[in-house]
Amino acid sequence: MKQEVPVELAQAGVGSPASARPFGFAPAPPRLYPFHGPYGRVALLSNARAHRNQRERAGENGLSSHIWQAAPHSKAELDRTLAGFARERVETIVIDGGDGTVRDVLSLAPHHFRDGIPRIAVVPSGKTNALAIDLGIAARWTAREVLASLDRWKAVTRSPIEIRYDGAHEARLRGFLFGTGAFVRATNLAQSVHRAGAFNGLAVGLSLAGAVGQTLFGGAENPWRRGDAVTLELPDGRAIDREFYLLLCSTLKRLPLGLKPFGPVRDGLKLLGVDSPPRKVLRSAAALLAGAEREWLSDAGYKRADTESFRLKIDGSFVLDGETFPGGDLSVTQGAPINFLVPA
């Protein structure tokens, strides 16, 4: 049976057409004169509903009218905006938003930029900015400051995680932090923390504390302890079919608050699996998040691995860079490197 394709992929040209979901952008027509900067034609794509941008609007930020600015308000409009960027041969996109904004740009851009995704500069203005933290971009940077200083920035590469649903052909989701099981519940908890006014590192810390508390004091039927059914297939042929408390993977080197759930800092696609129910929660959480490599962690059901790809079958949902998506039969791979601009 052909698997249903999520709306995000259908709008990118896969599956049946679907109405646009709100993307979180305020509508604004693009300025039609891409700025010729040190990295070729530069365009600014703003998320006006990003945490730090809510009091600003595209066209009211003091930037020159020769900077191509766009603030699409749906994923379908974002798709059309990127198509326009491709027609005008934009070579660098400055993304003023959080992790979710970057994820959606990277997921849709390959449909229009056939020779590769343009260079990306990130202005960390979202509720979560894990990619910016990994790239070493300070939270204080504004779009105006980034555009004015691009001649002093340099290019580094990061490879995203690519997620493809069976039956979705070439359309893929692209992001940097993937998780299922307790990670989905922790993300939902983080949304409550955001509504209470906590963001970035504080939100991560409060969400972690809440997750550990739920896990530690919940009963046997508590969903935090019970875990989710997952079938995991690794490239070497190993198949693992069990209840996982948590399954997490990322291609980032550094995470907020200096957390190191995957162990020492390194490149590549890193995977963490935690059996359900989790054991020695307090002791294990402290050691795991500090990046400790201890044999007893593996013996207690906390396992790490490096891999370029794996396959998953999950009945529940998963989170990619802060947004929840439906589960199913998935292929998860390390994607081709993308050039990101960072302060020199």
Side-chain angles (χ1 to χ4, degrees):
M1 181 180 297
K2 185 176 181 179
Q3 186 168 330
E4 181 180 354
V5 178
V7 170
E8 290 77 9
L9 298 184
Q11 289 175 348
V14 178
S16 303
S19 59
R21 282 175 41 177
F23 184 60
F25 284 98
R31 307 278 173 78
L32 300 179
Y33 305 97
F35 168 63
H36 291 263
Y39 288 102
R41 290 189 167 193
V42 179
L44 171 65
L45 196 153
S46 298
N47 183 343
R49 292 187 183 179
H51 169 57
R52 200 177 66 187
N53 293 344
Q54 290 183 7
R55 295 183 182 179
E56 299 178 3
R57 291 292 181 268
E60 299 176 1
N61 50 23
L63 293 173
S64 165
S65 62
H66 291 283
I67 300 295
W68 188 346
Q69 302 172 63
H73 68 278
S74 70
K75 288 187 180 178
E77 191 171 322
L78 171 65
D79 198 42
R80 291 193 293 271
T81 297
L82 292 172
F85 286 179
R87 285 194 301 271
E88 294 296 328
R89 300 185 302 281
V90 167
E91 298 165 85
T92 300
I93 302 175
V94 177
I95 301 177
D96 188 1
D99 292 328
T101 310
V102 177
R103 176 202 60 231
D104 289 328
V105 171
L106 299 185
S107 296
L108 293 174
H111 304 291
H112 307 292
F113 294 90
R114 299 298 182 180
D115 294 330
I117 295 174
R119 303 177 194 90
I120 302 292
V122 178
V123 182
S125 57
K127 295 177 182 177
T128 61
N129 302 284
L131 175 60
I133 290 171
D134 182 56
L135 293 172
I137 301 174
R140 62 175 175 81
W141 283 97
T142 66
R144 181 190 297 184
E145 290 169 338
V146 169
L147 287 163
S149 63
L150 276 182
D151 60 338
R152 300 189 297 275
W153 287 38
K154 64 181 180 180
V156 299
T157 60
R158 291 292 186 274
S159 297
I161 300 168
E162 294 189 350
I163 300 172
R164 181 175 59 82
Y165 286 83
D166 284 1
H169 307 295
E170 293 303 315
R172 302 179 184 216
L173 296 168
R174 292 176 176 84
F176 291 92
L177 186 59
F178 167 96
T180 189
F183 190 67
V184 176
R185 289 178 274 278
T187 299
N188 293 334
L189 183 59
Q191 298 304 322
S192 300
V193 171
H194 292 327
R195 288 191 291 271
F199 302 95
N200 294 308
L202 178 59
V204 172
L206 292 174
S207 300
L208 272 173
V212 171
Q214 289 277 1
T215 303
L216 188 62
F217 300 111
E221 294 304 312
N222 185 302
W224 286 82
R225 294 185 59 81
R226 190 170 60 244
D228 290 358
V230 175
T231 300
L232 170 66
E233 298 179 12
L234 295 170
D236 61 8
R238 284 181 293 165
I240 304 168
D241 188 357
R242 68 177 62 161
E243 301 274 331
F244 276 94
Y245 166 75
L246 172 73
L247 196 65
L248 190 68
C249 75
S250 181
T251 51
L252 298 177
K253 295 181 181 180
R254 289 170 289 273
L255 294 176
L257 300 180
L259 301 177
K260 300 177 181 177
F262 305 106
V265 173
R266 62 196 187 280
D267 292 318
L269 179 60
K270 300 164 285 288
L271 179 65
L272 168 68
V274 179
D275 292 345
S276 177
R279 300 165 54 193
K280 304 177 181 178
V281 174
L282 281 179
R283 183 187 179 195
S284 299
L288 195 71
L289 296 177
E293 295 186 299
R294 302 287 187 269
E295 186 175 342
W296 65 262
L297 277 172
S298 179
D299 293 340
Y302 299 80
K303 296 180 171 59
R304 295 167 171 146
D306 288 19
T307 180
E308 292 185 353
S309 65
F310 57 91
R311 291 183 54 81
L312 277 180
K313 181 176 182 179
I314 51 178
D315 295 332
S317 53
F318 68 87
V319 168
L320 181 66
D321 289 352
E323 184 171 346
T324 302
F325 296 90
D329 296 323
L330 311 172
S331 294
V332 182
T333 61
Q334 178 177 320
I338 296 171
N339 286 314
F340 288 91
L341 299 180
V342 300

